[in-house]
Amino acid sequence: MDKDFSLRELNTFGFDVKARYFQELKTMDDVRELIKNPEFIACRNATVSRLLVLSGGSNILFSSEFFDGFVVYPNLKGIEVLEETAETVKIRCYCGEVWKDFVDYTVAHNLYGLENLADIPGKVGAAPVQNIGAYGTEVKDTIHQVHTIDLTTGETKVFSNEECRFSYRNSIFKTTKNHLIFAVDFILKKHGDLKLDYGNIRNYLIANNITNPTLQDIAATVKAIRAEKLPEVGVVGSVGSFFQNAIVPVDKYQEIKGLYPEVPYYQVEIPPLPSVGRNDKLIKIPSGWLIDRAGWKGYRENHVGVWDKQALVLVHYGGGQPQEILDLMKKIQDSVKTKFGVDIKPEVNIV
Ligand code: EPU
């Protein structure tokens, strides 16, 4: 166990936050040892939990420069083929594998399912937590089961896909924090349909004269589109999308559309909420569009700002403090609320 450990290299925002206690876990034995550690037990049992399981650090914002608690960094490695049929391959991937390397591995082995999720930063163990998604694909559609260990009892538990309760950027693991994910089993297809209809994939293929795209072409296209829109991890501090897309009642969407006929939208798959009353539909409006129209794209203030190619992304140019991002977040939320009457929520996990 380390004390006053710098997490600067372990959060993609690049803030120099220190953790009072830090423990990397490389094996299941490390996990069992951890559960007996007195500092760990004290932090876990504190009235307000002072325990944090940190994965790739690509979706986290520390609210201050000192985390007065215990940071656990699960880093088990390995990829195993468990089962193969004529149509599918079942693969176990351990939590510490880098997500984009795992996607590259599946694409290189001609396995379909994860190609639209190429180049997403982070590690495999975090992918189920917020049901990562991009370009019309969500990871939930390939997850067979999730292997966890209970940080209170040390017992292992396997969650079936259904038990994970996946929805847009959400799962059971966002609220039940005691389960450390140590491996994820995926079922991938040997032959599959490529998803070209989201974002710019189809346009990019046409522009590059690719008429009969392969699995590899799609992964390469997604990488190229991401590289155009998103800051490079490790060069400019960010967490990808800082905000979730807004989900609004259909009336609100129509009101905005009346003023801005070009407003982009997606139908929402989740069932309507009772609180929405007489509206029987919800509409997803890209928060990046709302923030952009509110005039924030490319805005910079001291060490932080709004990415000039995608307004959903807040950036840290280095040397700043988490509070600067929190202040900017508040200003953007207030301005979108004033202009459109829409509340936008952070996607990033603020601790
Ligand atoms: N838009 C603007 N201005 C902007 C940004 C976006 O007008 O500054 C418009 C775009 O023109 C487009 C729409 O908003 O019509 C949607 O933009 P985009 O296709 O770039 O996707 P997004 O909805 O902003 C989501 C995910 C991304 C994912 C992309 C591609 C969320 C919160 N974000 O962004 O995920 O890569 O779709 O599928 O759902 C992430 O989670 O970190 C992430 C990057």
Side-chain angles (χ1 to χ4, degrees):
M1 185 186 72
D2 292 292
K3 287 188 180 169
D4 291 331
F5 185 86
S6 172
L7 303 174
R8 189 195 196 124
E9 302 299 324
L10 296 181
N11 74 105
T12 59
F13 251 135
F15 287 117
D16 192 11
V17 173
K18 295 213 168 40
R20 182 177 291 282
Y21 306 112
F22 177 86
Q23 179 68 57
E24 179 175 2
L25 308 173
K26 291 185 176 166
T27 64
M28 290 302 276
D29 281 345
D30 290 349
V31 185
R32 292 184 194 103
E33 279 302 304
L34 171 80
I35 293 169
K36 294 185 229 151
N37 176 312
E39 280 87 8
F40 169 80
I41 294 170
C43 290
R44 188 196 60 201
N45 294 347
T47 325
V48 178
S49 171
R50 289 160 57 219
L51 172 64
L52 173 70
V53 178
L54 181 66
S55 181
S58 53
N59 198 41
I60 196 159
L61 173 62
F62 290 93
S63 51
S64 80
E65 288 192 290
F66 185 65
F67 180 78
D68 188 11
F70 203 112
V71 173
V72 175
Y73 181 55
N75 206 11
L76 283 72
K77 303 276 190 191
I79 299 177
E80 294 162 11
V81 173
L82 301 177
E83 205 178 292
E84 197 169 335
T85 69
E87 298 298 326
T88 62
V89 178
K90 193 191 286 177
I91 299 189
R92 177 163 303 162
C93 186
Y94 286 83
C95 60
E97 293 291 341
V98 172
W99 175 261
K100 64 193 183 84
D101 296 345
F102 176 58
V103 173
D104 288 351
Y105 166 94
T106 63
V107 170
H109 286 78
N110 276 314
L111 297 173
Y112 291 71
L114 300 178
E115 57 281 0
N116 291 36
L117 306 181
D119 266 8
I120 293 185
K123 297 205 174 195
V124 169
V129 178
Q130 63 149 345
N131 179 25
I132 57 170
Y135 302 101
T137 299
E138 288 184 318
V139 76
K140 72 176 172 58
D141 297 330
T142 52
I143 289 180
H144 172 54
Q145 50 191 26
V146 174
H147 299 263
T148 68
I149 182 158
D150 187 315
L151 289 175
T152 312
T153 61
E155 279 164 25
T156 54
K157 174 167 164 57
V158 181
F159 285 76
S160 68
N161 180 295
E162 208 170 55
E163 287 170 327
C164 295
R165 294 207 220 121
F166 291 121
S167 60
Y168 170 64
R169 293 296 199 271
N170 206 358
S171 77
I172 194 168
F173 306 111
K174 270 206 161 174
T175 38
T176 53
K177 307 224 172 195
N178 255 359
H179 298 286
L180 181 145
I181 295 172
F182 66 89
V184 184
D185 293 348
F186 297 85
I187 295 186
L188 302 173
K189 294 189 178 144
K190 289 184 175 177
H191 316 277
D193 298 323
L194 298 171
K195 285 192 187 154
L196 313 180
D197 288 325
Y198 198 97
N200 285 339
I201 295 188
R202 200 177 287 278
N203 293 344
Y204 185 95
L205 294 169
I206 293 168
N208 288 278
N209 289 321
I210 302 170
T211 44
N212 205 356
T214 61
L215 177 66
Q216 287 74 18
D217 289 331
I218 299 304
T221 299
V222 166
K223 289 181 184 191
I225 298 172
R226 289 185 70 93
E228 274 170 21
K229 286 197 181 179
L230 299 169
E232 197 179 335
V233 175
V235 179
V236 180
S238 90
V239 287
S241 299
F242 187 91
F243 296 99
Q244 296 183 25
N245 283 331
I247 293 178
V248 301
V250 78
D251 287 4
K252 173 51 82 178
Y253 162 71
Q254 270 155 1
E255 181 194 316
I256 296 174
K257 191 175 160 66
L259 297 169
Y260 304 89
E262 77 286 6
V263 57
Y265 71 99
Y266 312 105
Q267 300 287 349
V268 176
E269 289 167 24
I270 56 172
L273 304 171
S275 60
V276 184
R278 67 196 168 81
N279 299 300
D280 57 355
K281 263 206 228 147
L282 294 168
I283 303 282
K284 182 150 65 172
I285 301 183
S287 295
W289 184 88
L290 297 168
I291 299 166
D292 190 356
R293 287 307 171 280
W296 289 98
K297 202 168 184 170
Y299 175 85
R300 179 166 180 172
E301 191 176 319
N302 298 322
H303 310 95
V304 300
V306 180
W307 191 238
D308 61 354
K309 299 183 190 78
Q310 163 57 289
L312 199 53
V313 177
L314 303 191
V315 290
H316 168 222
Y317 292 100
Q321 302 200 350
Q323 191 58 43
E324 293 176 64
I325 288 281
L326 291 170
D327 293 344
L328 179 58
M329 169 185 89
K330 182 82 177 58
K331 284 188 204 168
I332 293 173
Q333 285 174 318
D334 290 349
S335 120
V336 167
K337 177 82 178 171
T338 306
K339 191 171 170 78
F340 297 103
V342 173
D343 290 306
I344 54 170
K345 285 192 287 194
E347 180 193 79
V348 63
N349 190 10
I350 302 174
V351 292

